[in-house]
Structure formats: structure tokens, C-alpha cells
Amino acid sequence: MAQKYSKKRMTEDQEFQIMKLVLDKFLWLGFIVMGWGMYTSIKDMAILPGLWYMVAGAVLLFIFLIFIVKEYKVWQ
């Protein structure tokens, strides 16, 4: 006999809690890349190499912003 398993749906609060956990990791990643760029700029006394890391971190954060707005329908 085959048993049927029904999928459990998450509540909105559970979805929000998971989104916060995932978002926190992405934000840390973006800020670490930007921080590495700042460190590189200060360490080497050359702005341009570190600036590229900072721009990459900002682009990464912007991509995550677009993902969040699209996925979780913040703008309604």
C-alpha cells in the first residue's frame, strides 16, 4: 500500500524568519567584500584596486535587493 504524504505549508511568520536568516548571510557577504576593498585601499595606499572591491560589494547588495523585492513582493 502506498501512503500519501501531504506537504505542510509554512506560515507567513515562518517564511519571514527563514528570509531573515538568509538575508543576513547575504548582507554579511556584501559588506565583507566592501570591507575588504576598504582594507585594500588603506593597506596599499592606492584607491583604485580597493574601489573595485567596494563597487563589487555594492553591486552584490543591489542584486540581493532586487531579489528580495521580486521574491517577497515588498512593493505592493
Side-chain angles (χ1 to χ4, degrees):
M1 288 168 83
Q3 294 180 355
K4 291 186 179 180
Y5 293 102
S6 63
K7 292 183 181 180
K8 291 186 178 180
R9 302 286 301 178
M10 288 193 293
T11 64
E12 286 185 23
D13 185 56
Q14 290 172 329
E15 285 183 12
F16 181 71
Q17 295 300 325
I18 291 173
M19 181 196 70
K20 283 192 328 186
L21 291 171
V22 171
L23 176 63
D24 185 50
K25 304 306 182 262
F26 286 142
L27 290 175
W28 273 111
L29 180 65
F31 283 115
I32 286 172
V33 171
M34 292 178 80
W36 179 256
M38 183 64 74
Y39 171 74
T40 304
S41 292
I42 292 171
K43 180 185 72 146
D44 296 338
M45 297 301 287
I47 303 249
L48 193 59
L51 184 64
W52 286 115
Y53 283 109
M54 287 187 270
V55 168
V59 168
L60 191 63
L61 289 173
F62 186 71
I63 289 170
F64 293 140
L65 170 79
I66 292 171
F67 171 73
I68 291 167
V69 169
K70 210 179 230 186
E71 185 69 24
Y72 293 100
K73 300 176 186 169
V74 174
W75 304 106
Q76 290 187 5

